Amino acid sequence: MPERTIGIALLGGGVVGSGVVKILTEQRDLLRRRTGIHFDVRHVVVRDLAKPRDFPAGLRVSTDANAAIDDPTVDIIVEVVGGTTHAAHYVERALKSGKPVVTANKSLLAARGTELFSLAKKHNTCVAFEASCGGGIPIIASLQHGLIANRIDALVGIVNGTCNFILTKMTQNGWSYADALKAAQDAGFAEADPTMDVSGRDTAQKLAVLASLAFNARVSEADIHIEGIDTLQADDIAYAKELGYVIKLLAIAERKSAHGAAGSGQGGGSDRKNSFDTGAPSSAGHQTILGDAISLRVHPTLVHSTDVLADVSGSFNAISVFGHALGHALFYGRGAGSLPTASAIVSDIVNVGLGVTPLAFKQLAILPDATSPARVLPFNELLSRYYLRLMARDEPGVLAQVTKILGDNKISLRAILQHEVNDSQLVPVIITTHLAREGAIQTSLKEINALPTIQAPTACLRIIDQPKEFAAG
Ligand SMILES: NC(=O)c1ccc[n+]([C@@H]2O[C@H](COP(=O)([O-])OP(=O)(O)OC[C@H]3O[C@@H](n4cnc5c(N)ncnc54)[C@H](OP(=O)(O)O)[C@@H]3O)[C@@H](O)[C@H]2O)c1
């Protein structure tokens, strides 16, 4: 096979950029043997030239991104700067000059992906973004290629390693949120300002990218209901464990047919009609892809301890995808870090170099610039099971008042858990429900919290059920 050279400009030489340099340097021969292409890093652009770096001798390191992008010997621009200001400028400049861009920047894609994809098409080039979600896990390629024969019914992921590390420490060691966050910071898994991670926004930005591909509809961060882990109580993790669940921060996107969205479940409806009951088409028949509403949410969620996602620990990521033909597929691996993320970047560089990505980018009508805005299920319409923790005064009749409120709102109970406490203490009462509407739950919570016997706001978490094909029996 005739060999050729492809010139790379690497914008950013930090955690991910240095991993890309390492792989392209150390695996130069392997990549050349496999692809017939010599990938040559011609520029690394950074902000501060004085910083010590572990780069091979002879690498051209500068602060001039524009010169690197405009260099005629550069064929592919890799953006690993991060953020949405300078990175956007560099990506636009590269695309306008017809050069393909490889990026790991989910914030940029969630904010401006549609516009940048169409800019790329206008200039007959492409954007590759495997590293933007799930770090080294090849989830983008799987959604774009491996699963293309499937109508995707649901995508459920643990896509933020920082939150998963914190929740794992809280679950396994019984730590408070504050202690677990400090351990994550000490271990280098959490930033000094962890807000993007713990608020759920980073997870939502990744979900916007993944759901757009899975459902062939334009999803933005604003479409997603977001709750983070920063208000989660250690008590709820302990009670969830007692009930057979672990709490995970999940990114959830699931198709709700018109029937499913408006169907039963108002009080004691069968839990088989749960979030994952994707086996058979609804009685309305399967609708067109764009005719279905999509439920999009990020929140701490009770996952049954036998669910595969319950075993995803520490900084690992996992994404469950439910395709109508394949059924359940699980993508598991390291969702961040220098080499795992660089693994995804280099796979993009290779696929751009081979011509696979430019062709697919041009031909496939699945990217958000070629699809319509998603029809988003209003969050109040969500049908889910719930976990509630009330803090009540130990007085006769409290439970009767609470169950009456829930009953009046057509919410039926699945379990109640209450421990003996000393006379002077408040009694935590844990309730799990059958399927209920979010709107009905929120109305009930307002009424419950207004009761004189309820002494603190009631904790409310959602429970996700196992997919039917994995349910016991
Ligand atoms: N870290 C991960 O595990 C991971 C995983 C998946 C995706 N990502 C994404 O990858 C991107 C990069 O993340 P990272 O962790 O590698 O960040 P990082 O370690 O902070 O590296 C950023 C790099 O960009 C350079 N830079 C910043 N502003 C610049 C500017 N205006 N012009 C030129 N260079 C500039 C920095 O220069 P200096 O070195 O001189 O400061 C640094 O080399 C982000 O979009 C992030 O979300 C990261």
Side-chain angles (χ1 to χ4, degrees), residues 417-436:
L417 174 71
Q418 184 182 332
H419 292 299
E420 286 188 0
V421 292
N422 294 334
D423 287 346
S424 57
Q425 288 180 330
L426 292 175
V427 187
V429 180
I430 314 304
I431 292 174
T432 63
T433 74
H434 284 281
L435 284 178

Side-chain angles (χ1 to χ4, degrees), residues 5 9 17 24 39 74 79 129 142 152 198 203 216 246 259-260 273 275 288 343 349 409 417-419 442 449 471:
T5 297
L24 288 178
F39 294 97
V74 163
E79 183 278 305
F129 50 96
S142 300
I152 305 294
V198 299
T203 300
N216 302 158
V246 292
H259 174 77
K273 262 197 191 321
S275 338
T288 62
S343 159
I349 292 173
N409 283 290
L417 174 71
Q418 184 182 332
H419 292 299
Q442 294 306 332
N449 287 338

Side-chain angles (χ1 to χ4, degrees), residues 22-360:
K22 191 171 169 64
I23 292 181
L24 288 178
T25 308
E26 293 179 357
Q27 306 306 326
R28 184 194 313 260
D29 292 340
L30 177 139
L31 290 169
R32 185 190 276 164
R33 273 201 312 279
R34 285 183 174 170
T35 65
I37 301 172
H38 168 52
F39 294 97
D40 188 21
V41 179
R42 301 225 153 111
H43 299 261
V44 180
V45 178
V46 297
R47 197 171 25 189
D48 178 3
L49 283 176
K51 265 192 198 170
R53 301 179 199 270
D54 192 17
F55 289 155
L59 204 60
R60 192 191 305 172
V61 184
S62 79
T63 56
D64 193 345
N66 291 343
I69 294 165
D70 297 344
D71 180 346
T73 71
V74 163
D75 305 293
I76 300 175
I77 311 299
V78 178
E79 183 278 305
V80 281
V81 165
T84 51
T85 51
H86 296 284
H89 166 77
Y90 300 152
V91 169
E92 279 173 3
R93 187 179 182 103
L95 295 176
K96 282 179 183 163
S97 64
K99 294 191 181 180
V101 168
V102 172
T103 180
N105 195 335
K106 72 257 156 187
S107 305
L108 182 59
L109 292 178
R112 299 193 43 201
T114 304
E115 184 193 330
L116 294 172
F117 292 147
S118 54
L119 183 67
K121 282 185 185 155
K122 186 172 164 201
H123 294 276
N124 201 24
T125 186
C126 62
V127 181
F129 50 96
E130 183 62 73
S132 62
C133 302
I137 303 170
I139 182 66
I140 302 286
S142 300
L143 290 171
Q144 285 189 325
H145 303 291
L147 293 169
I148 196 149
N150 286 262
R151 178 194 73 232
I152 305 294
D153 290 317
L155 181 148
V156 181
I158 295 170
V159 292
N160 184 283
T162 306
C163 291
N164 205 45
F165 178 91
I166 292 170
L167 292 177
T168 301
K169 290 290 177 203
M170 290 176 79
T171 305
Q172 292 179 354
N173 304 0
W175 290 356
S176 67
Y177 168 76
D179 288 346
L181 171 62
K182 177 151 189 334
Q185 284 168 327
D186 291 347
F189 289 123
E191 311 263 340
D193 178 2
T195 312
M196 277 299 283
D197 291 321
V198 299
S199 68
R201 277 200 67 196
D202 173 87
T203 300
Q205 290 177 347
K206 289 169 181 164
L207 183 63
V209 175
L210 292 171
S212 295
L213 287 179
F215 297 96
N216 302 158
R218 205 179 307 149
V219 174
S220 71
E221 188 186 341
D223 292 325
I224 299 171
H225 174 87
I226 308 173
E227 292 173 27
I229 62 165
D230 38 355
T231 54
L232 201 59
Q233 302 282 315
D235 281 355
D236 292 315
I237 291 190
Y239 290 126
K241 198 171 178 180
E242 205 174 327
L243 292 164
Y245 296 93
V246 292
I247 298 183
K248 296 289 185 190
L249 183 70
L250 295 188
I252 303 172
E254 49 183 333
R255 184 187 305 285
K256 300 283 191 186
S257 68
H259 174 77
S264 67
Q266 292 269 350
S270 161
D271 286 352
R272 301 283 299 173
K273 262 197 191 321
N274 64 31
S275 338
F276 281 112
D277 197 355
T278 58
S282 71
S283 61
H286 186 261
Q287 329 233 327
T288 62
I289 287 176
L290 294 177
D292 294 335
I294 306 172
S295 167
L296 293 159
R297 51 212 167 95
V298 169
H299 50 62
T301 313
L302 275 74
V303 176
H304 200 269
S305 55
T306 56
D307 190 309
V308 283
L309 291 179
D311 288 331
V312 178
S313 297
S315 61
F316 274 85
N317 282 195
I319 300 138
S320 275
V321 182
F322 298 83
H324 88 281
L326 174 65
H328 179 207
L330 179 74
F331 299 84
Y332 171 86
R334 291 196 185 276
S338 182
L339 287 180
T341 311
S343 159
I345 295 266
V346 173
S347 102
D348 273 347
I349 292 173
V350 168
N351 282 312
V352 170
L354 290 173
V356 174
T357 306
L359 188 63

